[in-house]
Amino acid sequence: MIVHFIENIGAKVLNITLSFYNIIVFSLLSFLNIATPNNYTFKIKKKLILQLYRTTLFTLSRFSLLAFLLGSIVVGVFIIVAGEYNFHLQIGSLIVNFIVNVFAPVFTAFYILNKSKILLKKKDYESTLIPYALSSLVSTLSLSMLFASIVLTSSYFPIFFFMHMDVDTYKQLVFESIEFQDILTLFIKSILYGLIIVILPIYGRLQSYNTLSIMRRIIFSIFFIELVSLLIQSSFE
């Protein structure tokens, strides 16, 4: 029975390893496909423009309002928690680290995934990869930066309400808390998530995975990247 248990574990580890290897190979081939200028036909360019409009410009006002509301709520919770554990002096770094490094790229990625409808695509891989991947990359990167900017701005309202902080003090607190590595982290994560939410659904459809299985892989990939990011940041502190 123990031997059978070990064999099952070994088989699962082997399957996961092969699946991970196949996804890496597929991703590299997709990058080569995206980087090949000859693949950009008129049809591809048209789809790219339409997809950019659908995921970015068309929903810009709704996305901005959502960022404002979520920012106020999340920061309000942060202030309450910081008050209970006497973290008032670290409130600036807590907000920046969570909003800029984590919340902005993750929320934006799932927002773009929902708007792009890539999970509904089952065929036409060649004409889907380039416009969806590039539009997702550009949209995730630009909207993540917009999301972080709006949230950092709207954060002043709960801070003023709970802590009675003036605008100049809040601006100084934010500027002192933001570092170059925070912007770099947001940039890298946005690019990675923008590609993940397109490449994994396309790969999953080619492998006949259902939507739930694809979503699990996307969530696991994002969680893995967040874990690696946390470990890297901890090593530099």
Side-chain angles (χ1 to χ4, degrees):
M1 183 174 181
I2 296 177
V3 175
H4 182 68
F5 176 73
I6 295 175
E7 289 178 350
N8 287 336
I9 293 178
K12 289 182 179 179
V13 172
L14 180 61
N15 290 333
I16 293 174
T17 303
L18 289 176
S19 178
F20 183 75
Y21 171 78
N22 291 333
I23 291 176
I24 294 297
V25 172
F26 179 79
S27 299
L28 292 176
L29 293 176
S30 299
F31 294 152
L32 292 176
N33 199 351
I34 294 172
T36 303
N38 294 333
N39 291 333
Y40 289 82
T41 62
F42 176 77
K43 182 180 179 181
I44 296 294
K45 293 178 182 178
K46 183 179 179 180
K47 280 190 175 183
L48 173 60
I49 295 174
L50 291 175
Q51 190 62 23
L52 278 172
Y53 172 76
R54 181 184 300 142
T55 57
T56 306
L57 297 178
F58 181 71
T59 61
L60 188 59
S61 58
R62 187 182 306 172
F63 180 84
S64 300
L65 178 60
L66 194 58
F68 181 86
L69 295 176
L70 283 177
S72 301
I73 295 172
V74 171
V75 173
V77 173
F78 261 88
I79 294 173
I80 295 175
V81 174
E84 292 181 356
Y85 293 94
N86 295 323
F87 288 155
H88 292 94
L89 297 178
Q90 291 80 25
I91 189 64
S93 59
L94 287 174
I95 293 174
V96 169
N97 288 333
F98 180 75
I99 297 299
V100 177
N101 293 344
V102 180
F103 194 36
V106 171
F107 174 82
T108 305
F110 283 106
Y111 181 86
I112 297 299
L113 177 63
N114 178 60
K115 293 299 178 183
S116 66
K117 308 298 182 183
I118 187 65
L119 289 173
L120 302 178
K121 292 288 181 181
K122 297 183 179 180
K123 299 179 181 179
D124 201 16
Y125 160 72
E126 293 294 336
S127 62
T128 298
L129 174 65
I130 293 179
Y132 273 75
L134 284 182
S135 65
S136 177
L137 192 152
V138 173
S139 299
T140 306
L141 179 58
S142 58
L143 290 183
S144 291
M145 294 182 175
L146 176 63
F147 185 90
S149 301
I150 292 175
V151 172
L152 290 177
T153 301
S154 64
S155 298
Y156 174 70
F157 295 98
I159 286 181
F160 173 78
F161 180 79
F162 288 103
M163 302 177 64
H164 306 290
M165 184 182 296
D166 60 89
V167 177
D168 293 332
T169 303
Y170 176 72
K171 287 193 297 183
Q172 183 179 358
L173 179 67
V174 171
F175 288 139
E176 290 178 352
S177 301
I178 295 180
E179 299 179 359
F180 174 74
Q181 67 179 27
D182 297 315
I183 301 175
L184 181 62
T185 300
L186 175 65
F187 185 84
I188 294 175
K189 284 185 179 180
S190 298
I191 291 177
L192 290 176
Y193 295 163
L195 294 176
I196 284 174
I197 62 176
V198 170
I199 290 179
L200 287 185
I202 292 178
Y203 176 81
R205 291 306 184 192
L206 292 176
Q207 299 298 320
S208 299
Y209 295 155
N210 56 38
T211 302
L212 181 59
S213 179
I214 295 173
M215 284 300 300
R216 287 175 180 171
R217 284 166 169 78
I218 293 175
I219 293 173
F220 175 80
S221 300
I222 291 178
F223 175 78
F224 179 77
I225 292 174
E226 289 296 334
L227 180 61
V228 172
S229 174
L230 180 62
L231 293 176
I232 293 175
Q233 292 179 20
S234 299
S235 64
F236 284 101
E237 291 180 356

